[in-house]
Amino acid sequence: MKKSILILIVFIYSFQAKTQESIIPDEVKTYIQSRINNQVNVGIVVGYIDGQNIDYYSYGNTAIENGTPVNKNSVFEIGSISKTFTATILAIKVINGEMSLDDPISKYLPKTVKVPTKNGKEITLQHLATHTSALPRMPDNMSPKNENNPFADYTYKQLYNFISNHELTKDIGVISEYSNLGMGLLGHILELQSGQTFEELVIQHIANPLKMDDTRLVLTQQMKKRLAKGHAGLSETNNWDIITLGGAGGIRSTTSDMVKYIKANLNSDSGNTALDKAMQLAHQSAFKSEEQHIEMALAWHIENGKFLMHNGATGGYCAMSAIDKVDKKGVIVLTNSNENVDAIAIKLMVPSYPLKPVKPSIAKIMAKKIKDSNIDEAIMFYKDAKVSQVDTYNFDIEQLNSLGYQFLEKDQTEIALALFKLNVAQFPEASNPYDSLAEAYLKSGEQTLAITNYKKSLALNPANDNARDVLKSLDVVLEDVFISPEILKTYVGKYQLSPNFFITITTTEGRLFLQATGQSKFEIYPSKVNMFYLKVVEAKVEFKVNAVGEIDQMILFQNGQVLPGQRVE
C-alpha cells in the first residue's frame, strides 16, 4: 500500500515580506533545499507574513521528470485547508441572517434523506463545522473506479444513501472527532441553501473579493499550465477531484493566493467588510473539551488560546497554514509530495525549534544502481550499506516502498516485487510492506500469495482497511471480533508506562477508549480478546493477565517500540 497519509495536527505558523530583504532565515532555506535534494519532497513553496512584511521562498520542481522550478504561482492541492473556506462561507451566511449555527442539518437536506439522531439530539451546522457531529471520518460506501482518484465518482446519491442508513454510535456534540464526511456534507448544505455549486460559493465570497484568481476546485486552463504534479514518494500521482465532498478538501490554489487569504484572516478584526466579519466569527471558539485537550473554532483548530491552524493532505500533496492574530504572523507551506511540511512552519514561528538533519535517500541511490546495473546489484548494495553506512542514508520504511511503486506503476513488476520483498525482510513487524508486496503479487496474477500477504498485513495492523477491502473483494471471509461489555470492563484502569506517562482505559456503551497523558481520547478496536488497535495511528495495545486471573499490565506497540505499563489504578 502506498504510504497512508496521516494528518497530524501540529500548531505552528510562518509567512513573507514585501521588502527587498528576505525575512525567511537561511537555516530554513537550507533545510528546504536538503529536503528536495534528498528526495523527501519534490517541490516546496513557502509564504511568510510578519506584520506588513511578506516573503516567499521556493525550491524544487513541479515534477521529478521534466519538471520546471516551482514558484509562488505554482498550483497545488491544499487538501483540508479547504475546510476553513467552507466554515468562512457558513459564517457569511450566518452574518447575513440566511442561516444559523444552531440550524439542524435536516432543515436543508432533501426530505427523502433520513438524518441520524442520537438520544433525541439532532446534528446542527455548528456540529459539522467543529467535528462534533458524531459522523465518521469517511463514508463507508465509497467504491472508486480509480483508487488513485478516490473521490472523483462519489455522488450525491451515495452521500444521501450513507446519511440515511448510518446509525450514530456516539453522542452528538460531546467530543470532537475529525470528519471529512461532516465537512463535505456542510459544503453540500451550503450548495443546497444557495442554489450554487461549492466552487461558485468560494469564488463569489472569498476568491473574487481577495483577487485569488488561481483558487478553484476545477483547474482552469491557466492553472493546468502551472500545476505542480503530486507525488507519493518518488512516484507521480493522480490529482484528487473532490466535488461532492469538495468542502472537505477539494480546493486547488497557489502560495501567492493563499498569502492573500491568510493576510485577510490576520487583518479581519478591522471589520470593514462582510468577509472580515465572517472571518471573525469563524475564528471564535465554538467547542472546547478539557478532557480531549482540544479547542475548535469553525473548522480552525485553536492552540494555546491564541493560534489558528489547519493543515491538509491529498494523495500527492501536503499543506500547512497557521495564523497568529496577536503578533500578526502567518504562514502557508505547500508541497507536491505526500511528506508533511509541518517542521518548516514550526521553525518559522518558533525559532528555537530544532530542525533535524535530512539524510540522503537510499532509494535515490538504489534507483541509479538499478538503472546502471540491475536489481540484484542494487539489493547487494543496500544490504552492505545498511551495515557499513547506516548513518549516512535514510533507510526508513518508506524508502523501498516508494521506490517499489515507482517500478510497479511502470509495469516493471519483477523489480517492484524484489524491492517489496526486501522491505518485508527489513521490517518484518510492519504492516505496510506486506500490503505493498500483496498488491504487487495481485498485479502479477499470483492471487494466493497476495492473499497471504494481505492477511499478514491485516494481522499486524487490523486498522488497514485497504487490506480488508481487497480481501473481501477476493471473497476471503474475515471474522469480526466481538468482546462482551463485561470483559471490556476488566481492562478499565490507569497504566503507568513511565514516571510521568500514563494511559487511561475507559469504556462507554460497549466500546473501549484509550487516552495517553496530555493527549486526546481515542477509541480502540478489538483484534483478539485481549488485543486492541487504534485507527488514528498504527499502534496496538495488549492486556496481560496475572497468575490470579486479573489484568495487571498493558503493553503498547508503536513505531517498533514495545512499552509495557503496569496497572496503578
Side-chain angles (χ1 to χ4, degrees), residues 397-415:
I397 196 169
E398 277 305 308
Q399 298 302 306
L400 293 174
N401 196 62
S402 295
L403 185 60
Y405 272 104
Q406 185 179 24
F407 287 99
L408 189 65
E409 289 167 4
K410 293 178 180 178
D411 292 324
Q412 295 177 272
T413 309
E414 290 302 316
I415 294 177

Side-chain angles (χ1 to χ4, degrees), residues 5 7 77-80 238 240 242 249-250 312-319 337-338:
I5 302 170
I7 302 178
E77 293 179 359
I78 68 170
S80 288
N238 290 39
W240 280 11
I242 309 174
T314 54
Y317 299 84
C318 284
S337 305
N338 67 345

Side-chain angles (χ1 to χ4, degrees), residues 499-538:
N500 298 309
F501 185 74
F502 298 84
I503 287 181
T504 301
I505 303 295
T506 56
T507 183
T508 304
E509 296 181 349
R511 296 154 58 209
L512 209 61
F513 296 86
L514 172 154
Q515 185 171 21
T517 300
Q519 299 182 29
S520 300
K521 181 188 293 186
F522 299 106
E523 185 171 359
I524 54 178
Y525 304 83
S527 57
K528 298 180 181 177
V529 68
N530 66 328
M531 186 78 77
F532 292 76
Y533 63 93
L534 289 91
K535 291 186 177 181
V536 291
V537 294
E538 188 172 330

Side-chain angles (χ1 to χ4, degrees), residues 151-156 159 184-185 187-188 191 242-247:
F151 294 86
D153 52 4
Y154 191 70
T155 66
Y156 295 115
L159 176 62
L185 178 60
H188 178 51
E191 292 179 319
I242 309 174
I243 302 300
T244 298
L245 298 176

Side-chain angles (χ1 to χ4, degrees), residues 201-434:
L201 289 168
V202 169
I203 293 171
Q204 176 186 339
H205 294 292
I206 299 175
N208 280 352
L210 298 181
K211 295 180 170 51
M212 297 168 64
D213 297 331
D214 290 322
T215 300
R216 302 288 188 271
L217 272 75
V218 179
L219 295 168
T220 65
Q221 289 302 315
Q222 284 300 314
M223 291 172 70
K224 287 179 181 178
K225 293 177 182 178
R226 290 178 277 111
L227 178 66
K229 299 293 182 66
H231 294 79
L234 301 175
S235 301
E236 193 171 301
T237 62
N238 290 39
N239 285 99
W240 280 11
D241 300 304
I242 309 174
I243 302 300
T244 298
L245 298 176
I251 294 176
R252 287 80 177 254
S253 190
T254 65
T255 308
S256 177
D257 268 12
M258 288 302 294
V259 162
K260 296 174 183 176
Y261 179 67
I262 297 296
K263 188 175 181 182
N265 276 274
L266 277 172
N267 297 326
S268 61
D269 287 346
S270 62
N272 293 328
T273 67
L275 182 56
D276 288 335
K277 295 174 183 177
M279 287 179 168
Q280 287 181 49
L281 175 59
H283 296 166
Q284 293 175 17
S285 178
F287 175 82
K288 187 174 184 179
S289 170
E290 297 294 340
E291 183 181 20
Q292 286 189 280
H293 303 282
I294 191 170
E295 186 174 8
M296 291 291 306
L298 300 182
W300 291 100
H301 298 269
I302 301 175
E303 175 69 3
N304 297 331
K306 174 183 179 182
F307 303 118
L308 299 167
M309 67 78 56
H310 214 297
N311 56 11
T314 54
Y317 299 84
C318 284
M320 174 68 172
S321 64
I323 296 169
D324 178 353
K325 294 182 73 172
V326 175
D327 293 330
K328 297 298 181 185
K329 292 183 179 182
V331 65
I332 181 71
V333 186
L334 302 178
T335 181
N336 54 334
S337 305
N338 67 345
E339 292 287 344
N340 82 71
V341 285
D342 295 343
I344 297 168
I346 295 171
K347 183 64 177 179
L348 285 167
M349 296 305 294
V350 185
S352 61
Y353 179 79
L355 293 171
K356 296 180 181 179
V358 180
K359 295 179 182 180
S361 166
I362 191 64
K364 180 179 179 180
I365 309 299
M366 290 278 286
K368 189 174 188 304
K369 291 283 183 184
I370 294 169
K371 181 180 179 181
D372 294 344
S373 184
N374 56 58
I375 182 62
D376 294 332
E377 291 290 332
I379 289 175
M380 287 177 61
F381 168 78
Y382 179 96
K383 291 179 177 179
D384 178 70
K386 191 83 180 277
V387 175
S388 61
Q389 302 181 68
V390 67
D391 294 327
T392 302
Y393 299 106
N394 179 4
F395 287 95
D396 72 31
I397 196 169
E398 277 305 308
Q399 298 302 306
L400 293 174
N401 196 62
S402 295
L403 185 60
Y405 272 104
Q406 185 179 24
F407 287 99
L408 189 65
E409 289 167 4
K410 293 178 180 178
D411 292 324
Q412 295 177 272
T413 309
E414 290 302 316
I415 294 177
L417 278 168
L419 292 167
F420 291 145
K421 288 177 184 177
L422 178 60
N423 212 25
V424 164
Q426 297 299 315
F427 301 95
E429 298 302 317
S431 169
N432 201 41
Y434 291 96

